[in-house]
Amino acid sequence: MPTYRRTTRVPAPLDEVWAFHSTIDGLRELTPAWMNLQIPEVRGPDGAVDPETLVEGSRIEMSMQPFGVGPRQRWTSVITERVPDGERQPDGRAQFVDEMSGGPFRTWEHTHAFYADGEETLLVDTVAYRLPLGPLGDAAGPFAKVGFEGMFRDRHRRTVDRFES
């Protein structure tokens, strides 16, 4: 399965970067305007509407229309894994994973990893994906990284800009 990865150093402590990325407001702030993101519903694992923090089991209903072209792409994302606050993996990282449970890809698994480095944080986004259209999508899969690059470069720049000051 093709994988895309981007790493950026953020000038802020891990706990601050983690908290920002753990909210729906963080998702809104990090999504480039050209994606035309709409989020009609967010539910926590207990069914609560608009939870403050995206925890394991949270479900996000959204749609996008990149550059305003074509029909809106509906997307359902579920947080399938989240290292509890205050805990870290053995290698020191905090992370959460969202998976597409309905949308334009056959598979989309996005791991958001955060590594403390003194007063800074290494942010690592990794996406494992499979495009639609069976064998044709599989053949084109490696080239999709070109499309992801602009979006993730912008997300990482926005994260750095938010914490620089």
Side-chain angles (χ1 to χ4, degrees):
M1 183 170 358
T3 302
Y4 171 84
R5 176 171 288 143
R6 183 164 188 87
T7 302
T8 299
R9 181 172 298 279
V10 180
L14 184 146
D15 291 340
E16 291 178 25
V17 179
W18 169 260
F20 171 67
H21 278 264
S22 297
T23 66
I24 202 68
D25 288 339
L27 174 62
R28 283 187 179 104
E29 190 174 325
L30 292 175
T31 302
W34 56 264
M35 292 292 290
N36 296 300
L37 176 69
Q38 292 179 359
I39 303 174
E41 183 175 88
V42 181
R43 291 202 177 261
D46 59 357
V49 177
D50 295 327
E52 188 174 312
T53 302
L54 299 172
V55 297
E56 190 170 318
S58 295
R59 185 177 197 84
I60 306 160
E61 299 289 340
M62 60 188 127
S63 68
M64 292 160 261
Q65 189 182 32
F67 302 107
V69 176
R72 291 196 74 75
Q73 299 172 4
R74 306 227 182 286
W75 186 296
T76 301
S77 184
V78 177
I79 307 299
T80 58
E81 176 187 327
R82 181 179 161 96
V83 175
D85 287 335
E87 295 183 24
R88 304 285 182 262
Q89 298 288 344
D91 62 2
R93 89 188 118 101
Q95 76 174 29
F96 67 95
V97 177
D98 68 83
E99 294 183 24
M100 183 194 72
S101 68
F105 291 82
R106 280 188 289 166
T107 304
W108 176 275
E109 182 181 284
H110 181 184
T111 301
H112 310 251
F114 307 84
Y115 298 84
D117 187 14
E119 289 299 308
E120 296 185 321
T121 302
L122 287 179
L123 167 62
V124 182
D125 278 307
T126 305
V127 179
Y129 63 94
R130 290 187 72 197
L131 298 176
L133 305 176
L136 182 60
D138 289 342
F143 303 104
K145 294 176 184 181
V146 172
F148 300 154
E149 183 60 29
M151 182 182 70
F152 280 96
R153 182 178 45 244
D154 189 70
R155 286 176 59 104
H156 282 224
R157 181 191 53 77
R158 288 170 185 262
T159 300
V160 168
D161 288 351
R162 183 179 203 287
F163 290 101
E164 269 185 344
S165 57

